[in-house]
Amino acid sequence: MTFDANEFLKGLTRQLELCDRLAEVEEAQKKTFESGEPDMDRLLKVVEKKQQLMQEWATIDQELVAAREAWPGEREKIDPELAAEIESAAGETRDRLKAILSMEEEQQGLLDKLRGGMADRIRQAQQRKRVLNAYGKKPGQGGSRFYD
């Protein structure tokens, strides 16, 4: 395969566009998590969209493998302006990916908080049930064996 700098730049540009779309999906996911009680249908749609974008990314990345490997040796052989554009696109892609990963880590923290909050509510409900059972009252029943 011969190295085509223009095709390499097109692939990098497509990845930059995917980065923008991934950032939008990350933002939608963040809003879903921040709502406190995430809408599971909405969250599922966000996750499905993210998977679709990641599949697109993998396809483009696979197409660029040979060009990435050839780039160090080809960089000096092409027009300096085109080489600068490629370097800029690669750097921008790297920076945007770092930002997306940072957003993902932040959302993992939000998800952990949601899980913790849910676990606390479950523990509280279990504790209330144990207390009610200890006094002979079943949840949803009126009265108590001590007040008959």
Side-chain angles (χ1 to χ4, degrees):
M1 180 183 150
T2 60
F3 181 82
D4 184 336
N6 289 309
E7 287 301 312
F8 187 33
L9 182 58
K10 283 181 189 176
L12 291 172
T13 302
R14 287 175 34 214
Q15 283 188 326
L16 279 170
E17 292 166 358
L18 273 176
C19 283
D20 292 340
R21 292 169 48 202
L22 276 166
E24 290 171 5
V25 170
E26 289 292 333
E27 195 60 39
Q29 182 174 308
K30 180 180 178 182
K31 288 178 182 176
T32 301
F33 285 151
E34 287 178 336
S35 70
E37 293 290 329
D39 176 352
M40 296 313 280
D41 290 331
R42 182 175 177 203
L43 185 58
L44 181 60
K45 288 177 184 174
V46 168
V47 170
E48 287 172 349
K49 183 66 175 175
K50 189 187 302 187
Q51 287 175 334
Q52 174 197 358
L53 293 174
M54 293 307 297
Q55 287 173 345
E56 286 182 50
W57 181 276
T59 300
I60 295 169
D61 208 45
Q62 187 63 37
E63 294 169 3
L64 296 178
V65 167
R68 283 188 206 284
E69 291 172 356
W71 176 242
E74 297 290 332
R75 179 181 8 219
E76 301 301 319
K77 298 176 186 175
I78 64 171
D79 175 59
E81 286 183 29
L82 182 55
E85 284 184 65
I86 290 171
E87 290 288 339
S88 176
E92 184 69 23
T93 300
R94 198 172 26 255
D95 293 345
R96 289 185 192 182
L97 282 176
K98 285 180 185 177
I100 290 168
L101 288 174
S102 177
M103 291 171 71
E104 187 70 29
E105 289 172 1
E106 178 185 336
Q107 289 175 51
Q108 184 63 45
L110 288 172
L111 181 59
D112 290 344
K113 284 182 185 178
L114 284 173
R115 284 182 189 153
M118 184 66 73
D120 287 344
R121 283 185 276 187
I122 290 170
R123 279 192 293 277
Q124 289 171 356
Q126 288 172 334
Q127 182 64 27
R128 280 193 299 272
K129 185 176 178 181
R130 282 193 291 271
V131 168
L132 290 172
N133 286 340
Y135 288 98
K137 182 176 179 184
K138 303 292 182 213
Q141 285 183 336
S144 165
R145 67 180 175 185
F146 297 110
Y147 297 105
D148 290 345

